Amino acid sequence: MELIEKYLAAWNTTDPTARRALLDEVWTADGTYTDPLAAVVGRDQIDALIAGVQQQFPGLEFRLAGPVDAHHDLARFTWHLGPRGAEPIVVGFDVAVVTDGRIATVHGFLDRVPA
């Protein structure tokens, strides 16, 4: 699913201008992102969250860990965060709600995190 690939690309894009362009394309203006560590609303807060994650985990990349399972306006997918080509450090899965071709909500779950 191209939308989810672009969503993950935004998490990997370190250039602020390019990342914001992806966020504007992928997210609704009032989109929400919630996981066990964060709850943010709107593209500005989502952008700030991603920048913070990139600072916390420099040089690591998000990647799909399998196919995207989607129906109606929902998509769920497992992702890995780790060095390119190596074992992931963090594993999680997200459930995205799509409205008019953009992500309106993401509910994130963390399955494995560093100790």
Side-chain angles (χ1 to χ4, degrees):
M1 181 173 211
E2 184 179 347
L3 182 66
I4 300 306
E5 290 172 1
K6 288 181 179 182
Y7 164 77
L8 287 177
W11 283 89
N12 291 327
T13 301
T14 56
D15 176 83
T17 302
R19 181 177 60 242
R20 185 52 190 245
L22 274 170
L23 293 175
D24 289 345
E25 180 183 350
V26 170
W27 284 89
T28 61
D30 60 349
T32 62
Y33 175 90
T34 306
D35 71 20
L37 305 174
V40 296
V41 178
R43 293 177 187 148
D44 289 344
Q45 290 185 10
I46 294 166
D47 194 11
L49 174 66
I50 292 172
V53 169
Q54 290 173 349
Q55 286 181 341
Q56 185 178 4
F57 299 103
L60 303 184
E61 83 174 8
F62 285 89
R63 59 190 178 274
L64 281 174
V68 176
D69 183 18
H71 64 82
H72 297 89
D73 61 350
L74 300 171
R76 72 174 177 165
F77 52 95
T78 300
W79 50 264
H80 290 165
L81 173 64
R84 183 176 292 204
E87 186 69 22
I89 295 169
V90 180
V91 175
F93 81 91
D94 290 353
V95 176
V97 179
V98 178
T99 301
D100 297 326
R102 288 193 170 134
I103 296 172
T105 303
V106 169
H107 302 283
F109 297 84
L110 301 173
D111 296 325
R112 184 173 76 195
V113 295

